[in-house]
Each structure stands twice: as C-alpha cells, then as structure tokens.
Amino acid sequence: IRRQRQMCIRDSIETMRDLPIYQTAAKFDGRTLVVNGMHDRIVPYNYAIRYHEVMPNSELMLIEGDNHDFSATNYMSAAKIAKWIKDRL
C-alpha cells in the first residue's frame, strides 16, 4: 500500500508539472500567505518559494522541521497562521 501511495503521489506531481500552475497563480493579486513545511516530502518547499516569487501580494512562511500536515509543529503553525490572518483583517 505504501508503494502504491508513493506512486500515486509521484503521478500527481508529474501531472502538476504540465499544468500552468505558476502562470495561473501569478494572475491573483490578493493577499496570500504561502505556507509549507520544510520537511514536506509530498510538496517540497521549493514549490512554495516559487509560488511566492510569482504571486505579487504574497508572503512566505516556511515552517522549519515540519512536514506536509504540520503535525510536528501543529500548534505553533496554527498560531502563526492565525496571527497573519488577524493582522490583516
């Protein structure tokens, strides 16, 4: 099952490579927080960096030591995200 899951994830990432995701994201000019765990093995953090680079009104939050579901720093990550939202309301 684990190997099957890894293959599914790999197929999804390969499909994403063919989609114009960054060109589409670049058209959005609303305030955006791009968040990614630096130990995310599903969506590596360099994707978040790239989104931040192309989105004109974005901020980048890389969570050191965390993975895709933020389970390692759940409370800390949630607090940082909540503060970002609160500060912009």
Side-chain angles (χ1 to χ4, degrees):
I1 292 177
R2 182 180 176 146
R3 182 172 167 80
Q4 187 177 21
R5 180 174 177 234
Q6 289 174 338
M7 290 175 59
C8 181
I9 292 168
R10 190 174 312 129
D11 289 345
S12 296
I13 291 172
E14 288 177 10
T15 298
M16 281 191 326
R17 289 181 186 152
D18 296 333
L19 298 173
I21 56 176
Y22 299 115
Q23 295 87 337
T24 302
K27 295 176 186 176
F28 182 73
D29 65 354
R31 290 188 288 188
T32 306
L33 177 62
V34 180
V35 183
N36 214 112
M38 293 192 71
H39 293 156
D40 188 337
R41 293 181 357 180
I42 296 173
V43 181
Y45 70 90
N46 60 325
Y47 286 84
I49 292 170
R50 181 73 176 121
Y51 272 110
H52 172 60
E53 290 172 347
V54 302
M55 296 179 80
N57 201 10
S58 69
E59 293 180 46
L60 179 63
M61 183 183 296
L62 297 175
I63 308 294
E64 179 61 43
D66 222 330
N67 54 26
H68 191 71
D69 63 3
F70 302 103
S71 58
T73 63
N74 196 333
Y75 295 107
M76 182 184 70
S77 300
K80 287 181 178 182
I81 294 166
K83 182 179 180 336
W84 185 90
I85 293 169
K86 181 183 173 199
D87 290 348
R88 284 149 188 83
L89 290 178

